[in-house]
Amino acid sequence: MTIELSDRVRAVPPSGIRRFFEIAEERDDVISLGVGEPDFSTPWAARDAAITSLEQGKTSYTANRGKRELRESIADYVADRFDLGYNPGEEIIVTAGASEAVDLAFRAFVDPGDTVAIAQPSYISYEPGVIFAGGEVLPVPTRKEDEFRLTVEGLEAAGAADADVLVVCYPNNPTGAIMREADLEPIAEFAREHDLTVFSDEIYAELTYEGEHTSIATLEGMRERTIVFNGFSKAHAMTGLRLGYALGPADAIGAMNKIHQYTMLSAPTTAQHAAIEALDSCENDVREMVDQYDRRRQFVLSRFREIGLDVFEAKGAFYCFPEVPDGFTAEEFAEGVLREQGVAVVPGDVFGDGGEGHLRISYATGLEDLREALARIEAFVADHG
């Protein structure tokens, strides 16, 4: 007897990133610039709060939406940092990572046959999330010439006026692009004009290196049609603790909670205690991590230019997105530099339309490893020049 797979699962290909990690696992001298995970430990105060909560036996379920104290802290944090006003009682839900929040939104607001426009290149989980919900994916490519910012022209060319949902992620994974308020205003106008629901993934909001992050939900007429995703994995280096959250209108968050209470019940309790402390006392730790990422960003961009690879000025997240040399596809370059030089990078085309001919480089690793990895990449380019 064979267990029959659903059509939705069959429609989703294996992760394009996984193959390169499997090659990397075959050898022990690989430097990975492929993983989107901070190399820092979770700030000590947050770890200590988690340990204390365990010692005190605080291991029960919390409220479905998350501990009230944490939701209040999140409300204060997003109001102070990003001018976002949300009621902690009805308009915030705490989830098992921001990824769960994204999945809940797709399942709560996408019906079979609905069209979901996704600004690409983009985080690899968006497309499968749409397919699992029964929706249709509409790629909206962004271009290097526009610094990988989403434009109205791109939306119109892709046919996004007929979509039901628009997904955006800025600061962007994989490109490191950001969008300022002036860039977001015409996108907001387009969404209002065509009655689009907007999913705004802002998990890298703190990792904005020039100016301040602006959320599209703060623009006129957007709060009521936008779900904002954020979490603790990136800025607070809490990836393994799996804690995120979503912000939105009360009825929307209620719909997401309906799914959440049947599937996850509540986010990890210990992680919630850590997050309360992270928001209360770890601001300086976050600033130090962001400062170090910025120094690495400037070093990596400078070295790629020295090597001769064209790269645009990434200003957010912890990625840059250089072009591969002539004569290579992104996949050929990524596989070649891994096999010959022991450096793991990710070909840009796994992130969707607009990623072809690029590499995602994560600088969420130590400066010494970055120096060595870039020297190896330089040697690979010279060997094949």
Side-chain angles (χ1 to χ4, degrees):
M1 176 182 175
T2 300
I3 297 176
E4 187 72 18
L5 301 181
S6 73
D7 291 340
R8 293 176 185 177
V9 170
R10 284 199 296 265
V12 175
S15 168
I17 294 178
R18 189 64 245 167
R19 186 169 74 85
F20 290 90
F21 291 157
E22 288 171 352
I23 297 173
E25 288 168 359
E26 296 172 2
R27 48 194 294 182
D28 57 11
D29 63 340
V30 170
I31 299 174
S32 179
L33 305 183
V35 180
E37 179 173 27
D39 62 314
F40 300 104
S41 296
T42 302
W44 174 248
R47 283 181 280 158
D48 191 46
I51 293 167
T52 299
S53 75
L54 289 170
E55 291 175 337
Q56 294 175 349
K58 296 178 179 179
T59 56
S60 301
Y61 297 126
T62 70
N64 293 140
R65 294 171 186 249
K67 287 179 66 63
R68 175 77 190 205
E69 183 182 357
L70 176 55
R71 284 180 282 134
E72 290 174 348
S73 293
I74 290 169
D76 291 342
Y77 164 72
V78 298
D80 178 61
R81 290 291 292 124
F82 309 119
D83 198 28
L84 290 164
Y86 289 93
N87 180 334
E90 298 181 322
E91 297 181 323
I92 298 174
I93 183 171
V94 179
T95 56
S99 294
E100 192 213 349
V102 173
D103 181 60
L104 291 175
F106 285 138
R107 289 196 280 165
F109 308 116
V110 176
D111 281 321
D114 282 357
T115 298
V116 179
I118 302 176
Q120 296 186 338
S122 65
Y123 177 50
I124 60 171
S125 292
Y126 299 147
E127 281 201 27
V130 173
I131 295 169
F132 292 147
E136 303 290 335
V137 174
L138 178 67
V140 182
T142 60
R143 307 183 308 155
K144 179 193 169 190
E145 292 77 10
D146 299 317
E147 296 186 333
F148 293 105
R149 292 173 295 196
L150 182 62
T151 65
V152 169
E153 292 76 15
L155 287 165
E156 290 174 339
D162 296 323
D164 300 285
V165 175
L166 171 64
V167 181
V168 294
C169 173
Y170 290 95
N172 183 259
N173 173 13
T175 66
I178 64 172
M179 289 187 68
R180 303 191 188 283
E181 183 174 349
D183 303 318
L184 290 168
E185 286 282 8
I187 306 304
E189 183 178 353
F190 184 92
R192 293 191 299 267
E193 179 181 352
H194 298 289
D195 195 24
L196 300 180
T197 297
V198 176
F199 295 170
S200 183
D201 188 345
E202 301 178 21
I203 189 70
Y204 295 98
E206 286 283 7
L207 278 62
T208 301
Y209 305 111
E210 296 188 13
E212 293 292 328
H213 173 74
T214 297
S215 173
I216 195 169
T218 62
L219 304 185
E220 181 182 354
M222 293 305 296
R223 186 186 187 280
E224 58 265 36
R225 67 175 63 250
T226 303
I227 308 296
V228 177
F229 311 118
N230 208 325
F232 297 88
S233 291
K234 310 303 181 179
H236 293 88
M238 289 171 55
T239 50
L241 292 173
R242 307 309 304 131
L243 205 69
Y245 53 90
L247 316 169
D251 58 345
I253 295 301
M256 293 170 67
N257 187 52
K258 184 183 292 186
I259 301 169
H260 174 74
Q261 67 189 359
Y262 285 118
T263 55
M264 190 60 64
L265 189 64
S266 62
T269 301
T270 305
Q272 293 190 53
H273 286 283
I276 292 167
E277 186 63 33
L279 292 177
D280 183 60
S281 69
C282 296
E283 182 178 354
N284 289 339
D285 299 88
V286 172
R287 296 275 65 79
E288 175 57 29
M289 287 188 278
V290 172
D291 287 346
Q292 290 199 43
Y293 288 138
D294 193 17
R295 289 193 288 272
R296 297 174 189 179
R297 175 184 72 97
Q298 295 177 57
F299 169 75
V300 169
L301 291 172
S302 174
R303 283 293 284 125
F304 272 119
R305 290 171 182 139
E306 290 173 2
I307 292 168
L309 299 189
D310 195 10
V311 59
F312 98 104
E313 187 84 12
K315 296 176 181 176
F318 39 54
Y319 310 106
C320 65
F321 210 56
E323 293 185 42
V324 299
D326 292 340
F328 285 96
T329 66
E331 187 166 333
E332 289 168 345
F333 189 99
E335 186 162 345
V337 77
L338 177 55
R339 293 192 183 278
E340 295 181 28
Q341 294 290 338
V343 179
V345 299
V346 182
D349 47 4
V350 307
F351 300 100
D353 290 3
E356 303 88 346
H358 292 80
L359 305 169
R360 189 188 78 171
I361 304 293
S362 170
Y363 47 86
T365 191
L367 201 53
E368 287 307 311
D369 276 349
L370 287 172
R371 288 194 178 97
E372 175 61 24
L374 286 160
R376 295 184 190 184
I377 291 172
E378 184 172 33
F380 179 79
V381 171
D383 288 344
H384 294 271

